């Protein structure tokens, strides 16, 4: 049973696991579908042809998701991220967000998007209750964008970024997966953005995960090297106090006058498992407590098997109880130790 886990009263927060980590953050992958074909997310064959998709009936419905979120919030989850796949592709997402925003004690709902549809939806997102947004962008060069993502739509993403800044979303985080030999010649350009704009530009280490046929030791660049390259050009970065609730990035400013911030996310070289507060719900309704561990709890089976709210709660507790102390070693990951697809797990 779940005696090891401290169970808070509704809304109190404080779901603590065996390793003294407070689990307070749930990430929902709303769909496995995406309008891009990024080289680290799909295989080479899929870039050229069709990508297998889950039938709609395999996705949790909004009613089912709302029920899970209500139970999770009553247990102590305070922060929610909508991701995918590309979450903005899921039909009626705005009314879903509006309903999420009306859940008592849930005040922090965030979105991760590739930005392609952002300019179109930014105002509606704001009205529905989203203020904090992460945008994936691995290059500032339109031609290269098409090479990395398989789609020629850099301008649409850039318009989305500009619109979110203009509308006052804050923070607006730009996530760049750094791949040596593919986009590492743009590190300084990205760093400059964090000086000239209010963006939080985050450099993410390339992980050997899932379908990516492009990961190699050679393409991996550790965060320390990324930082050294930026400091070589701009001088020492100024460390910022890390708001514990605000994610795994180590944050810096590129000088006192910088409008934005720089972040380094190093799941491989300096993993942050000891303060990981996350639980994921995959697009087909499986709870996953570690991005880089394949163990999952089938929550959809509980729900569609007629499980009560306390059965949903037990499933959440089981997933948290199974949360490993740390993720697998790079050697095991390189050997294919993590099979999930980012689009279904929720990147
Ligand atoms: N469509 C949304 C988006 O683009 O932000 C949701 C996430 S989607 C699965 C893609 C994101 O997952 C990437 O931009 C990256 O941040 C992350 N990701 C996927 N594969 C990765 C890998 N091998 N290493 C590091 N990050 C990865």
């Amino acid at each position: 049973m779940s005696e090891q886990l401290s169970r808070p009263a509704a809304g109190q927060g404080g779901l603590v696991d065996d390793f003294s980590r407070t689990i307070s953050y749930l990430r929902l992958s709303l769909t496995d579908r995406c309008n891009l074909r990024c080289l680290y997310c799909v295989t080479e064959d899929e870039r050229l042809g069709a990508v297998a998709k889950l039938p709609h009936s395999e996705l949790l419905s909004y009613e089912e998701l709302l029920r899970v979120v209500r139970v999770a919030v009553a247990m102590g989850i305070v922060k929610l991220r909508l991701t995918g796949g590309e979450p903005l592709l899921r039909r009626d997402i705005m009314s879903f967000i509006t309903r999420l925003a009306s859940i008592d004690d849930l005040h922090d709902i965030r979105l991760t998007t590739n930005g392609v549809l952002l300019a179109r939806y930014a105002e509606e997102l704001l009205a529905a209750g989203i203020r904090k947004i992460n945008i994936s962008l691995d290059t500032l060069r339109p031609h290269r964008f098409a090479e990395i993502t398989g789609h020629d739509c850099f301008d649409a993403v850039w318009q989305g970024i500009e619109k979110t800044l203009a509308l006052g979303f804050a923070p607006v985080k730009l996530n760049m997966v750094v791949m040596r030999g593919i986009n590492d010649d743009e590190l300084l350009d990205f760093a400059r953005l964090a000086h000239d704009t209010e963006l939080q530009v985050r450099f993410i280490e390339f992980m050997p995960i899932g379908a990516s046929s492009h990961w190699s030791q050679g393409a991996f660049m550790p965060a320390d090297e990324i930082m050294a390259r930026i400091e070589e050009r701009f001088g020492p970065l100024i460390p910022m106090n890390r708001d514990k609730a605000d994610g795994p990035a180590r944050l810096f400013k590129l000088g006192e006058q910088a409008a934005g911030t720089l972040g380094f996310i190093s799941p491989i070289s300096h993993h942050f498992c000891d303060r990981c507060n996350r639980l994921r719900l995959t697009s087909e309704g499986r709870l996953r407590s570690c991005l880089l561990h394949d163990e999952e709890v089938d929550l959809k089976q509980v729900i569609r098997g007629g499980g009560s709210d306390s059965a949903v709660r037990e499933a959440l507790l089981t997933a948290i109880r199974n949360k490993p102390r740390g993720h697998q070693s790079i050697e095991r990951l390189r050997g294919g130790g993590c099979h999930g697809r980012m689009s279904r797990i929720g990147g």
Side-chain angles (χ1 to χ4, degrees), residues 61-253:
S61 68
Y62 285 146
E63 286 303 331
E64 290 169 327
L65 287 166
L66 284 161
R67 181 173 169 211
V68 174
V69 174
R70 281 192 200 101
V71 172
V73 168
M75 293 167 72
I77 295 294
V78 295
K79 173 173 162 184
L80 195 70
R81 179 172 301 282
L82 309 179
T83 179
E86 174 48 41
L88 292 179
L89 288 178
R90 180 123 181 210
R91 194 176 303 164
D92 288 336
I93 185 175
M94 299 306 160
S95 57
F96 174 59
I97 296 172
T98 306
R99 293 175 74 191
L100 282 174
S102 72
I103 294 177
D104 285 344
D105 297 317
L106 179 60
H107 307 296
D108 191 347
I109 306 171
R110 306 182 180 205
L111 180 86
T112 291
T113 174
N114 59 31
V116 174
L117 298 171
L118 195 50
R120 192 190 303 175
Y121 288 128
E123 273 148 0
E124 285 182 70
L125 284 169
L126 203 60
I130 300 277
R131 301 283 175 279
K132 301 169 179 178
I133 203 151
N134 288 10
I135 303 159
S136 299
L137 186 66
D138 303 321
T139 176
L140 298 171
R141 303 180 189 175
H143 182 67
R144 182 176 283 173
F145 183 94
E147 285 172 356
I148 291 177
T149 68
H151 286 269
D152 186 9
C153 49
F154 173 84
D155 290 346
V157 176
W158 194 253
Q159 281 166 22
I161 293 167
E162 288 184 327
K163 190 145 184 188
T164 49
L165 287 173
L167 287 173
F169 283 80
V172 179
K173 301 181 185 177
L174 221 59
N175 290 335
M176 176 204 196
V177 178
V178 180
M179 297 166 281
R180 196 191 301 276
I182 295 179
N183 61 359
D184 63 312
D185 54 348
E186 297 189 57
L187 293 177
L188 303 184
D189 296 338
F190 271 89
R192 251 182 227 107
L193 273 182
H195 182 274
D196 300 345
T197 72
E198 287 165 21
L199 291 166
Q200 182 180 121
V201 176
R202 311 196 307 171
F203 301 102
I204 302 179
E205 286 178 348
F206 191 16
M207 293 180 283
I209 183 171
S212 165
S213 51
H214 282 83
W215 194 92
S216 68
Q217 187 67 49
F220 169 71
M221 183 179 285
D224 288 351
E225 183 180 342
I226 300 169
M227 199 184 300
R229 285 223 208 157
I230 293 170
E231 290 193 316
E232 189 183 345
R233 169 65 185 80
F234 295 107
L237 298 177
I238 304 169
M240 297 181 62
N241 282 340
R242 221 179 59 82
D243 173 355
K244 269 173 104 182
D246 207 32
R250 290 177 287 152
L251 296 181
F252 298 84
K253 268 184 115 59

Side-chain angles (χ1 to χ4, degrees), residues 32-46:
D32 63 330
R33 287 162 169 71
C34 192
N35 42 3
L36 298 181
R37 294 280 175 273
C38 296
L39 52 82
Y40 43 70
C41 242
V42 297
T43 62
E44 203 50 47
D45 285 349
E46 289 170 328

